[in-house]
Amino acid sequence: MLVAWNYRYRNSPMDHIDPRARFIFSFAVLFSATTTWNPNILFAVFLIAITWYSLGRLTWKDTRLGWFMISIMLFTMIVVNTIITGGGAGGVVPPGGQLVWPDGVLIFGKHLNLGLTVERLWFAVSQLMRILSISLVFIMIPYTMDSRAYGVTFSKLGLPDRLAYTMELSFRFIPTLARNFQVTLDAQRARGFELDAGKGNIIQKIRQVAPLLIPVTMNAIVSSEDIANAMDLRGFGQRKRTWLYQLKFQWWDWAIIAFSILMLATTLLLAYRFDMRLFSVPHWWYGLFN
Amino acid sequence: MQDTHTTGKKKNIWAFGTKQVVYAAIGAALYAVVTWAFNIWQIPGAGNVGIRPAVVIPMFFGIAFGPIVGFITGFVGNILADMLSGYGFWLWWDLGNGVMGLIPGLFSALIYIYNEKKSILLGEVSVVLGVALGMALASVSEMWVSGADINTVIFANFLPAFITNVLWGLVLLPILMVAYAAIVQRSGR
């Protein structure tokens, strides 16, 4: 089993943005999008997120697996929970409203009363804009950020050195542990182990994972003793750590940080000072169903 | 066997020295690799939820090495697993996974001999509490993010995640604890 990070250098504008500025921007989008259900603000945040995503110059081939998973999540959240059952909108959309099909619909010769309201349908659009805005800025991170940069990024953002180093170290261990996992799986298979044998009840099926999970976990723990001793011998944690991968702010990074702060402050101001926090349906949307 | 129980020393579960840094890093990487390997098992119809035998790893690392190691194993491990699979960052689910390791970690102060009945029972209690709190935190955050009502959050997010995670934890944690007890005994830790 080979583990490959999804990142590769594309010489895109995103490759030249400091990871600290990128995280600050991404969190500003997250909090801006989740502060309000106002359609105008959500649309503005959505446009900003699309522009940001385009800076990564990611291809469909690069990100299709991630988008496939997000599509499953969006389908459950929006189609099943909001449009079909209505529970996904229950926390925001008040009960009642204008029915999309007041006389019901004919499906396969059967007359059905779906109960879908215009308001709920607009909420599905708002939900789509909100979740896509968040997905657009966060899904691109693994594809556009060098795995060597995570430790130093979080250290420079204020995370204690030991925690930042833990993160850095875990990135380094992944290829080794994936190899160990594959070796153990092969060894157990040679002994007749089958992961999806499909025999027995649910407890027995869960226990079938044990011959794989135990050796991998115990080997990892035993080997970590040696690593800790080697780190101690080299004086780990005795003074402030330096990082091989260096970060340097450019003028555009400061501009992105300033924009992030401005975007979040404006959203908060509009939402709480000008009462634009709650869900509302634009008049033109009702016009589509009359 | 020279364990803290027989020597009478109290465990400092909040220590975060070189060993804990390495255990947390190894735990997070292991959680990511095993989750990634099993990511093909998604629960159909449940929002954001996959079947993950790997959830036992943060719980076990919490029990064995304390709450900080347990939390980092779950939190960072989930971030890494999502990165490997290309899903991006979902901070509230990462935090929920961290709590699944943190709560068993709090119980580690009471656990000295890993293959004792009492220790295993405490471990099982910590699994139920940890999964309940962790998945509740992650699921409730969906109300804030997606605007779902409490019923949807309970039935589409919390219950599928809680039931599967608690089952994996309850069955696999005792097996890992017994295996670890043998290692502790052999190496005299």
Side-chain angles (χ1 to χ4, degrees), chain A residues 20-269:
Chain A
R20 289 167 290 181
R22 296 181 52 185
F23 270 100
I24 291 169
F25 178 86
S26 304
F27 279 102
V29 168
L30 170 70
F31 289 113
S32 300
T34 50
T35 297
T36 177
W37 283 109
N38 181 282
N40 298 323
I41 302 176
L42 281 180
F43 186 63
V45 174
F46 181 52
L47 286 183
I48 292 168
I50 290 176
T51 312
W52 182 254
Y53 185 79
S54 68
L55 296 179
R57 288 191 192 146
L58 292 168
T59 61
W60 169 246
K61 199 179 158 193
D62 287 331
T63 54
R64 63 185 169 191
L65 181 65
W67 284 116
F68 174 68
M69 293 313 302
I70 287 172
S71 311
I72 294 175
M73 186 186 78
L74 284 174
F75 179 81
T76 315
M77 196 182 279
I78 294 169
V79 179
V80 179
N81 293 342
T82 299
I83 295 179
I84 298 175
T85 67
V92 178
V93 183
Q98 182 185 325
L99 287 171
V100 175
W101 295 288
D103 305 321
V105 278
L106 213 62
I107 299 174
F108 300 119
K110 282 194 172 177
H111 190 263
L112 294 172
N113 237 331
L114 296 178
L116 176 65
T117 62
V118 175
E119 291 79 6
R120 226 163 73 199
L121 206 56
W122 177 252
F123 181 72
V125 176
S126 306
Q127 241 182 348
L128 191 68
M129 284 196 289
R130 180 187 267 200
I131 303 297
L132 276 181
S133 303
I134 300 168
S135 306
L136 281 164
V137 295
F138 282 101
I139 196 176
M140 67 188 305
I141 292 176
Y143 300 97
T144 55
M145 192 167 149
D146 192 335
S147 59
R148 291 172 302 169
Y150 286 92
V152 62
T153 301
F154 288 107
S155 169
K156 300 284 180 191
L157 281 172
L159 201 72
D161 256 7
R162 280 177 192 265
L163 291 178
Y165 189 71
T166 305
M167 213 163 172
E168 177 92 356
L169 206 57
S170 55
F171 275 92
R172 311 272 172 186
F173 283 140
I174 281 188
T176 316
L177 288 174
R179 213 192 98 247
N180 290 354
F181 185 87
Q182 184 63 57
V183 168
T184 310
L185 182 62
D186 291 342
Q188 298 292 51
R189 274 183 176 153
R191 294 178 177 93
F193 167 73
E194 277 182 71
L195 194 58
D196 45 3
K199 293 166 200 155
N201 59 30
I202 189 154
I203 306 291
Q204 286 163 328
K205 280 182 183 168
I206 292 173
R207 285 173 71 100
Q208 279 170 9
V209 179
L212 181 62
L213 203 62
I214 289 169
V216 173
T217 309
M218 295 307 143
N219 273 337
I221 290 171
V222 170
S223 65
S224 57
E225 283 277 303
D226 296 337
I227 298 163
N229 288 339
M231 281 166 64
D232 272 338
L233 282 170
R234 285 165 178 78
F236 174 78
Q238 296 304 306
R239 62 176 79 146
K240 187 136 181 76
R241 191 180 158 72
T242 55
W243 300 84
L244 191 63
Y245 191 92
Q246 289 298 317
L247 299 175
K248 198 177 168 208
F249 274 130
Q250 304 291 340
W251 67 265
W252 55 82
D253 298 314
W254 290 112
I256 289 166
I257 292 171
F259 178 78
S260 310
I261 295 168
L262 189 71
M263 174 175 63
L264 185 59
T266 310
T267 315
L268 289 172
L269 194 73

Side-chain angles (χ1 to χ4, degrees), chain B residues 3 12 24 27-28 44 46 63 67 70 112-113 115-116 142 144 146 163 168 175:
Chain B
D3 57 59
N12 177 13
I63 290 279
Y112 295 96
I113 302 168
N115 54 0
E116 253 185 5
E142 290 287 343
W144 164 61
S146 65
I163 293 168
W168 286 111
I175 303 175

Side-chain angles (χ1 to χ4, degrees), chain B residues 35 37 42 51 53 56 61 66 68 71 95 99 107 127 129 135 149 160-161 167:
Chain B
T35 302
Q42 289 283 332
I51 297 178
V56 72
F61 272 71
I68 301 177
F71 179 81
L95 280 171
V99 172
F107 279 71
V127 164
L129 283 177
M135 293 302 99
D149 63 0
L167 271 175

